[in-house]
Amino acid sequence: MAVFVLDKQKRPLMPCTEKRARLLLERGRAVVVRLAPFTIRLKDRIGGATQPLRLKLDPGSRVTGLALVRESETCDRETGAVERLEHGLWFGELAHRGQAIRETLGQRRHLRRARRSRKTRYRAARFLNRTRRTGWLPPSVQHRVESTVNWVKRLRQLAPITALSQELVRFDTQALQNPEISGVEYQQGELAGYEVREYLLEKWHRTCAYCGATGVPLEIEHIVPRARGGSDRVSNLTLACRACNQRKGNQPVEAFLKRQPALLRQIQAQAQAPLQDAAAVNATRWALLNALKTTGLLVETGSGGRTKFNRTRLDLPKTHALDAACVGAVDQVRDWNRPVLAIRATGRGTYSRTRLDRFGFPRGYLIREKRVHGFQTGDWVRAEVPAGKRAGVHVGRVAVRRTGAFNIQTQDATVQGISYRHCRVLQRADGYGYAFQSKPDAEKARRAA
Ligand SMILES: [Zn+2]
């Protein structure tokens, strides 16, 4: 994993290798600023040459992939073709907490509803007095946009990022329909197949059109078989599971579904209806794009079909971080086999000071102060316990208790009852938890074994 480097005045320089960072620290030329993402500051340097870096994002509902790459372009002497080369520097996966936000808001709603019927039954109902500003998103979704933008800002403080890339849509409708815009190769070439597939998955709701099976590998199916003159147009394509595809074979759809006239009519109607403006389907991604534009950096957008095409062509394993590296126009990716920093949005504690049992009765009360002996829940600490049942070194996220006997959540377990006297803060709580993931190819090898 590349190490982020700041100069004496905390301005970002080019990231360096772990080895170089180790040497700089050993010689006393640098100090550690942060542990995750690992950042050092040079004590004797102001300014320096930087190269253009690009931060690439693959936004997902649960996890957003982050890839920081250095770009270079090579030009073929003979053909004059320009190749876009990427060197992976740093990879991260940001896990959102949309589900947790949704649950706590649901809890609050139930609580208020119950209180209204208990305490304010005679108060007249209010209605039609609430407005939502334009561009409003549910809090759980807004959080995804905000935490992603937050990480773009954080990384900009650590590295000289000059451009962004974001996967904006699942598939590029213009590439499917408008050959003039993207050129014939894009329309008819290999890439078109990926865009078509993503389009069909969306259009047919990722199910087999004939038996309704979900969660199985789906194949592209010609409604009027090609052997009978059926075309490759999107309106003649659907998705079918392996079994249905084989069973249908070369039959026309009318013969195959002659015992199910209702299904036949439905499939024919759905095949003709184009998918509603696919770009507008995902409001989150557009909100993110608009937020990214406010950074002032140039934002390149790509489609999911293109990402998949790049990943398959470059033969990279499927991870969120590597998907991010494949967003947009890429010809080659180098140095992709690096560990990934797993970033988990944890929040900063709860406002409510009363813990409830499952019936809604108070079970206990939380302390009013966030700090206990200088520690705060969420701090990353290292505890060296000299003796006793829990003797040893524990590193992890601390949960403070008023008594001073803390819980530490380490990589594999929660250790309870560690005195504050043994703890030392490694990094202050910042709303995120960190873990290091091994290299993706090691994963791949283990899966294959
Ligand atoms: Zn089927």
Side-chain angles (χ1 to χ4, degrees):
M1 206 182 281
V3 173
F4 292 107
V5 184
L6 305 178
D7 74 358
K8 198 177 172 184
Q9 296 172 334
K10 298 178 185 172
R11 279 183 306 224
L13 297 172
M14 284 301 281
C16 72
T17 59
E18 290 178 24
K19 182 179 177 184
R20 187 167 165 71
R22 216 173 289 129
L23 285 173
L24 286 166
L25 289 168
E26 269 169 18
R27 289 175 191 158
R29 282 190 57 202
V31 287
V32 177
V33 178
R34 282 181 69 93
L35 291 180
F38 196 78
T39 309
I40 59 171
R41 180 160 53 83
L42 296 178
K43 295 200 281 189
D44 54 1
R45 181 88 166 265
I46 297 177
T50 58
Q51 290 158 296
L53 296 185
R54 181 180 284 275
L55 179 63
K56 309 186 94 180
L57 306 160
D58 174 30
S61 67
R62 233 173 29 77
V63 176
T64 290
L66 305 164
L68 185 68
V69 299
R70 180 168 60 81
E71 280 184 316
S72 59
E73 282 182 349
T74 54
C75 186
D76 194 339
R77 282 254 173 95
E78 279 160 24
T79 59
V82 177
E83 257 207 346
R84 201 160 145 185
L85 200 72
E86 266 183 12
H87 301 267
L89 291 178
W90 179 89
F91 295 100
E93 291 186 358
L94 172 62
H96 301 294
R97 55 189 293 268
Q99 193 57 36
I101 291 175
R102 203 186 133 91
E103 274 163 22
T104 42
L105 286 178
Q107 242 169 26
R108 185 181 74 179
R109 196 174 64 241
H110 287 132
L111 209 82
R112 287 183 172 176
R113 171 54 46 195
R115 180 164 60 220
R116 181 171 173 84
S117 55
R118 254 187 358 259
K119 309 274 194 195
T120 60
R121 270 187 293 165
Y122 300 106
R123 191 181 291 169
R126 295 191 297 170
F127 66 101
L128 288 181
N129 62 350
R130 313 257 166 103
T131 51
R132 277 177 180 165
R133 60 182 171 75
T134 49
W136 178 90
L137 291 171
S140 58
V141 175
Q142 185 67 31
H143 146 79
R144 279 178 215 145
V145 175
E146 279 169 8
S147 55
T148 310
V149 170
N150 183 6
W151 270 92
V152 171
K153 282 185 187 158
R154 280 166 178 236
L155 291 171
R156 278 188 77 189
Q157 288 175 348
L158 303 180
I161 294 169
T162 53
L164 302 172
S165 295
Q166 185 208 343
E167 186 182 302
L168 182 62
V169 285
R170 294 263 173 77
F171 42 82
D172 190 345
T173 38
Q174 292 201 318
L176 300 176
Q177 289 158 4
N178 251 339
E180 283 90 354
I181 288 181
S182 320
V184 176
E185 295 89 358
Y186 192 55
Q187 164 78 1
Q188 290 163 358
E190 266 180 288
L191 179 53
Y194 281 84
E195 302 286 359
V196 166
R197 206 181 142 71
E198 289 300 303
Y199 183 87
L200 289 172
L201 284 169
E202 195 77 8
K203 181 174 171 183
W204 295 91
H205 312 297
R206 293 170 194 272
T207 54
C208 170
Y210 300 123
C211 69
T214 53
V216 293
L218 296 169
E219 298 172 349
I220 293 181
E221 223 276 317
H222 289 76
I223 295 174
V224 179
R226 293 189 66 181
R228 290 173 190 264
S231 75
D232 278 336
R233 288 177 69 99
V234 177
S235 57
N236 188 40
L237 298 177
T238 182
L239 293 170
C241 66
R242 176 106 224 174
C244 291
N245 203 353
Q246 299 257 310
R247 215 144 36 79
K248 179 167 176 285
N250 251 345
Q251 301 174 61
V253 69
E254 290 83 2
F256 180 60
L257 292 177
K258 65 173 179 269
R259 299 219 180 112
Q260 292 160 284
L263 182 63
L264 173 65
R265 250 178 289 124
Q266 190 208 324
I267 287 175
Q268 280 171 334
Q270 200 175 346
Q272 287 307 316
L275 187 60
Q276 289 298 313
D277 183 16
V281 169
N282 206 334
T284 324
R285 292 178 173 209
W286 278 94
L288 179 60
L289 176 65
N290 290 332
L292 291 178
K293 278 179 183 164
T294 60
T295 59
L297 298 176
L298 204 64
V299 189
E300 173 204 41
T301 58
S303 72
R306 181 157 216 158
T307 304
K308 211 172 189 175
F309 171 72
N310 287 336
R311 181 164 51 74
T312 318
R313 184 170 47 91
L314 300 169
D315 193 27
L316 301 182
K318 167 133 184 72
T319 68
H320 294 286
L322 288 177
D323 259 352
C326 291
V327 166
V330 188
D331 292 312
Q332 268 192 64
V333 179
R334 299 233 175 107
D335 305 326
W336 55 266
N337 195 2
R338 287 168 178 271
V340 175
L341 180 66
I343 306 162
R344 189 167 50 89
T346 52
R348 292 167 189 271
T350 48
Y351 175 74
S352 159
R353 296 287 87 191
T354 309
R355 281 274 165 87
L356 303 176
D357 66 11
R358 65 197 173 93
F359 304 107
F361 288 101
R363 200 195 70 189
Y365 299 93
L366 299 177
I367 48 176
R368 301 227 147 241
E369 311 77 40
K370 273 198 149 183
R371 293 241 161 146
V372 177
H373 297 294
F375 295 89
Q376 187 174 326
T377 296
D379 285 345
W380 194 0
V381 300
R382 177 188 169 89
E384 284 173 25
V385 185
K389 216 160 66 176
R390 298 174 196 91
V393 178
H394 311 286
V395 180
R397 186 183 142 87
V398 76
V400 297
R401 299 285 178 267
R402 199 197 327 237
T403 55
F406 299 159
N407 291 358
I408 297 179
Q409 202 179 359
T410 62
Q411 199 103 330
D412 16 74
T414 307
V415 194
Q416 293 187 320
I418 302 286
S419 168
Y420 72 93
R421 285 190 199 91
H422 306 311
C423 296
R424 187 164 60 83
V425 174
L426 298 177
Q427 187 166 296
R428 285 286 174 200
D430 60 353
Y432 296 91
Y434 302 95
F436 297 98
Q437 287 176 1
S438 50
K439 294 179 181 180
D441 81 331
E443 292 281 310
K444 202 180 178 184
R446 209 175 322 133
R447 247 180 292 140

